[in-house]
Structure formats: structure tokens, C-alpha cells
Amino acid sequence: MLALSANGHLPKADYALFADTGWEPRSVYQHLDRLEKEIAAPAGIPVLRVSSGNIRADALDPAHRFASMPLHILNEDGKQGMTRRQCTGEYKIKPIKRQIRELLGYPYPRRIPKDVFVEQWVGISTDEFHRAKDADVRYMRNRHPLIDMGWSRNDCIAYLTSIGFADTPKSSCLGCPFHGNAQWRHIRDTSPTEWEDVVAFDAAIRSGNARANAGGNPLLGQAFLHRSRVPLDQAPIDHVTAAEWAALQQGPAEHTAVLEQLEEGVVDGCSPWACRGDAEAVQDDVGLAA
């Protein structure tokens, strides 16, 4: 959308916002730097990087109130589950709302008049039109230009390729539990330092987040980044396990869909209004999601 706006295919945007969780792959930050330098700056569109902190550091800090990641859980009785996913609300939606309030001239706790709002463009394509939704506050009105243009993910890839951005990486936390095997392999095979980082984090969160443990509320089970619920450096990221193959025997269409998800992760993008799973509004200390 930023490139379409900068090149005159969409109206010129006033600002572009990037919600930084503090734990994106290095390739994403490099891409953002290039996008800002080659696309946004020449068009006069400021790119604002907003943040609520570093999600990795916060998870391991016993003094920090941590908005939980959707970790894969293996309970003591052998049952499987996932922790609540609050990270989108805390690390993406919250800092965007704070920044928009400041741009409008009404930082919290000032009340925003009913007739003051921003038109917010959300990069959802026709492939995921079901995720197109309104914002949950009056001062933000969502619009979905890619859907208005009838553009699919393939259309976006073709356009990016035509302007020299064919290698645009997918934005998501480095250690996102929604990664598929292909994403885990990519980290392991192309970036040893980042692989070491996620393996270390996986081991560190085995007993849940540090704040809960310090407060006497330990996790009744074990937490993992990989869906197999074994340590990441031992997880079967190079093949589909026998149990997974058995679960896939549901017919050709179902087989293909599930296998793709095991490999690629959940395909919907990880952004404030298009996260892998419906984003929950989180009531935070300063009421920004209220």
C-alpha cells in the first residue's frame, strides 16, 4: 500500500505506521529501512515506528506485566493446549492507537471529539477478505484498499516484483508459535544467530512467563514454540511426523490444506487487524483499547 500510494496508484498517505514488537527477523528491519529510503522518503511520506517494548525481553522479565504469546502447552496429564494470545493487542494495536491519538492532537486521557478521526488503511488482500473489519474505536475508520482494488496476494507479489521488491519478507515475530516448519527451517538454515536466539528463548519459556512464575502462579505443564511440543532444536521441522500423516488421512482437499499449514504456518498475515487468529482487544493500564 505504501508503494501504491508513493507511486500515485492510491492517494498520498499522510503517514505510514510500523508496529515494532522488538523481535522481528533482521530481514524485516532491513526491508523496512530500504522501503523508507527508496519509496517513502522520495514521496514525502513519513514512516513512524511505534512500539510497546520488546516482546522477547518482556516475556523473560519477572518485573514486567507480559501480554502472553500463544505458546503450545503440554499439560501434566498429557493434554495439549495453547496459552491466550494477547500479543497483538499489546504490541501492535496499543502503540498504533497511542500514535494516532498524538497525531490527532488528543493524547490519552483527552477525549477525542466524535467528528475527529483518521482513515486507516489496512493491508488485507482478497485472499483474506474475511478479516476485513472495523476498528473498535470511533477515532479510527478502517479502509481496505487492496480489497477495493480486487488485489490478491499474487497481485501484490507481482507488483512488488515489478518495482524491485520481489524479496519482501513476511513480518512476524522471530519466535512466533504460529510459524510452520518451512519458516523454522528458513531461520535455522539462513541465520544461525537468529536460530540460536529462538532456541534459547524456547528453552527459557518452558515453565511459562517469568512474571507469573515470580508471583507464585507457575504454569501447570510445559510451554513450547513448536506445535510438536518438544524443544525447538529437537522438533521435527524437516518432515511430517507419523502422527501428523495419520491425521491428514481425511481426503485430498483436507490433506493438502492441513499439510500446507504444517509447512507454511497459518497463511493470514500477522498485522494488527489481520493476525493469525482473531485479535482480542486488551484492556491495558492506560485504557487505550477501551
Side-chain angles (χ1 to χ4, degrees):
M1 292 190 305
L2 178 56
L4 289 169
S5 175
N7 293 328
H9 302 293
L10 288 173
K12 182 181 176 182
D14 296 303
Y15 297 94
L17 270 62
F18 175 74
D20 185 4
T21 66
W23 202 26
E24 293 272 353
R26 183 167 50 251
S27 60
V28 169
Y29 294 115
Q30 292 171 341
H31 168 72
L32 181 60
D33 289 341
R34 182 188 171 204
L35 191 67
E36 185 171 7
K37 178 181 179 181
E38 298 182 18
I39 300 294
I45 302 175
V47 175
L48 306 180
R49 307 186 189 204
V50 298
S51 177
S52 287
N54 184 299
I55 190 171
R56 187 192 193 283
D58 293 347
L60 304 180
D61 182 0
H64 192 279
R65 183 184 69 83
F66 177 60
S68 65
M69 299 168 63
L71 302 172
H72 300 280
I73 303 300
L74 182 64
N75 292 324
E76 293 176 338
D77 60 4
K79 292 183 179 179
Q80 299 181 352
M82 292 190 79
T83 54
R84 289 184 62 207
R85 183 189 48 75
Q86 300 172 314
C87 43
T88 297
E90 180 72 13
Y91 290 92
K92 289 185 177 289
I93 295 177
K94 175 181 174 180
I96 287 175
K97 286 181 174 178
R98 180 190 295 119
Q99 181 66 72
I100 287 177
R101 276 181 160 274
E102 291 177 0
L103 291 174
L104 290 174
Y106 295 90
Y108 185 85
R110 292 186 62 188
R111 183 175 295 277
I112 301 177
K114 291 183 179 181
D115 59 344
V116 175
F117 63 91
V118 298
E119 179 180 276
Q120 176 174 244
W121 296 356
V122 183
I124 298 176
S125 65
T126 57
D127 307 83
E128 47 190 16
F129 70 91
H130 56 287
R131 296 196 181 279
K133 62 185 70 174
D134 294 329
D136 59 352
V137 288
R138 287 197 306 259
Y139 59 86
M140 298 163 66
R141 298 185 183 179
N142 287 353
R143 180 184 167 194
H144 306 90
L146 298 177
I147 293 178
D148 294 341
M149 296 169 65
W151 276 31
S152 66
R153 184 178 290 107
N154 287 337
D155 292 318
C156 296
I157 293 172
Y159 178 69
L160 289 169
T161 301
S162 74
I163 62 173
F165 280 79
D167 58 348
T168 296
K170 179 183 290 186
S171 174
S172 66
C173 284
L174 192 61
C176 179
F178 285 125
H179 283 342
N181 284 340
Q183 293 157 299
W184 290 123
R185 288 196 304 271
H186 179 76
I187 298 172
R188 181 196 64 188
D189 298 343
T190 64
S191 183
T193 301
E194 291 182 324
W195 177 248
E196 182 180 346
D197 181 29
V198 292
V199 167
F201 179 79
D202 174 68
I205 51 86
R206 193 71 70 237
S207 298
N209 79 74
R211 174 72 176 269
N213 290 328
N217 295 298
L219 183 69
L220 300 179
Q222 293 184 308
F224 302 86
L225 288 182
H226 193 265
R227 54 180 169 73
S228 64
R229 294 170 175 82
V230 299
L232 185 58
D233 56 353
Q234 303 171 32
I237 66 174
D238 289 301
H239 63 278
V240 178
T241 67
E244 289 166 348
W245 274 115
L248 290 172
Q249 306 309 309
Q250 308 170 41
E254 292 83 357
H255 179 114
T256 299
V258 176
L259 186 58
E260 287 179 350
Q261 183 165 320
L262 292 175
E263 273 293 287
E264 303 299 332
V266 182
V267 298
D268 295 318
C270 188
S271 69
W273 282 268
C275 188
R276 300 162 186 178
D278 292 329
E280 300 168 3
V282 177
Q283 178 66 45
D284 52 78
D285 292 341
V286 294
L288 290 172

